[in-house]
Amino acid sequence: MFVNPDDERIKEILQKSRVIAVVGLSNNPTRDSYRVAAYMKDHGYRIIPVNPTIAEALGEKAYPDLESLPCPVDIVNVFRRPSEVPGVVEKALKLSPLPVIWLQLGVVHQEAALAARQAGATVIMDRCLMVEHRRLLGGSGC
């Protein structure tokens, strides 16, 4: 059974991370992915959109997939259907250095999360990046 890291570890991840690839980031300001990414950008993180259907979001060039990223990332934040998680995790595990894989609130895939953890990745599942940042680091906004 998958268990998320404790609050101290999540806080450490949020404090040390600077670059977040957001898989499934929309350029529509009414979407959760946009609001969460905008909040994180407002709090000093670089956001890299990963979405083959858009050219940019939040003033950043979008990339069609994780393989196309121009630089290393600290966190891969996933806003995709649970059925798409295994494919995203497989690609994230090929990145170097190995990023934290963060599955957003409502995005649950036990097998993919456990496989990623067995491969050495830190995985956070079914938690909102923005909510955790606010809760653990006291951020405001959005």
Side-chain angles (χ1 to χ4, degrees):
M1 181 64 136
F2 179 86
V3 177
N4 280 313
D6 65 23
D7 282 355
E8 207 50 48
R9 177 69 177 122
I10 294 173
K11 183 176 181 179
E12 177 187 0
I13 290 165
L14 292 170
Q15 288 172 325
K16 290 184 176 181
S17 298
R18 297 287 27 114
V19 182
I20 304 170
V22 183
V23 178
L25 178 56
S26 172
N27 58 4
N28 179 343
T30 66
R31 302 294 303 254
D32 289 340
S33 63
Y34 185 97
R35 288 196 309 272
V36 170
Y39 169 90
M40 297 307 287
K41 184 173 183 171
D42 288 347
H43 286 83
Y45 297 86
R46 178 174 178 209
I47 301 300
I48 301 178
V50 179
N51 185 335
T53 67
I54 63 172
E56 67 89 29
L58 298 166
E60 295 281 346
K61 177 184 180 336
Y63 294 87
D65 49 47
L66 290 172
E67 298 94 337
S68 303
L69 295 180
C71 62
V73 298
D74 301 307
I75 298 173
V76 172
N77 185 216
V78 182
F79 277 93
R80 302 300 301 149
R81 284 184 216 100
S83 62
E84 295 181 34
V85 167
V88 174
V89 165
E90 181 182 328
K91 291 174 183 171
L93 291 173
K94 293 178 182 174
L95 298 176
S96 181
L98 193 60
V100 171
I101 299 171
W102 192 302
L103 305 179
Q104 271 300 130
L105 191 63
V107 181
V108 176
H109 198 289
Q110 294 283 333
E111 296 82 10
L114 288 168
R117 186 167 284 160
Q118 288 173 350
T122 298
V123 181
I124 299 166
M125 182 168 64
D126 197 23
R127 296 261 183 105
C128 177
L129 188 59
M130 178 177 71
V131 169
E132 296 303 308
H133 185 275
R134 281 183 183 154
R135 184 173 72 84
L136 298 170
L137 299 179
S140 60
C142 268

